[in-house]
Amino acid sequence: MRQEFSAQGARAYWLSRQKSLASSPWTDPFELAVVEARLGGTEAMFASLEKAYQQRSVFLLYWIQTEPAFDSFRADSRFQDFLHRIGLA
């Protein structure tokens, strides 16, 4: 992955990371949501956040409010509704 980042940039790194996480059965959906947010995949990000909530992801509770990948989504009403629904707003 490091070689892809240095050769092709951040987007190539995140696409590679997405592929890696998607192929693993042990991936926490929150990790996938972070990658999807970095790639700008809004609908996929919200679907992964919902899945993380349903699976009671510990990462979700600890990191959703501080993870920089979500900064551009914080003003989105769907993101605010999600935080409120899970009790973090």
Side-chain angles (χ1 to χ4, degrees), residues 32-59:
L32 196 51
V34 169
V35 171
E36 289 158 347
R38 297 269 184 200
L39 291 170
T42 305
E43 299 307 318
M45 178 201 69
F46 280 115
S48 291
L49 286 175
E50 185 62 39
K51 191 173 181 181
Y53 176 64
Q54 290 172 0
Q55 292 182 6
R56 302 186 193 291
S57 169
V58 173
F59 293 121

Side-chain angles (χ1 to χ4, degrees), residues 37 68-76:
F70 299 124
D71 286 351
S72 62
F73 299 97
R74 295 195 193 285
D76 188 315

Side-chain angles (χ1 to χ4, degrees), residues 6 9 13 19 25 28-30 47 54 57 59 62 72 79 83 86:
S6 63
Y13 168 79
K19 183 178 177 182
D28 187 299
F30 181 78
Q54 290 172 0
S57 169
F59 293 121
Y62 282 116
S72 62
F79 192 81
L83 289 178
I86 66 173

Side-chain angles (χ1 to χ4, degrees), residues 62-88:
Y62 282 116
W63 298 109
I64 193 164
Q65 293 182 311
T66 59
E67 172 57 54
F70 299 124
D71 286 351
S72 62
F73 299 97
R74 295 195 193 285
D76 188 315
S77 62
R78 292 177 294 173
F79 192 81
Q80 290 299 317
D81 289 343
F82 180 75
L83 289 178
H84 183 46
R85 191 165 45 88
I86 66 173
L88 294 176

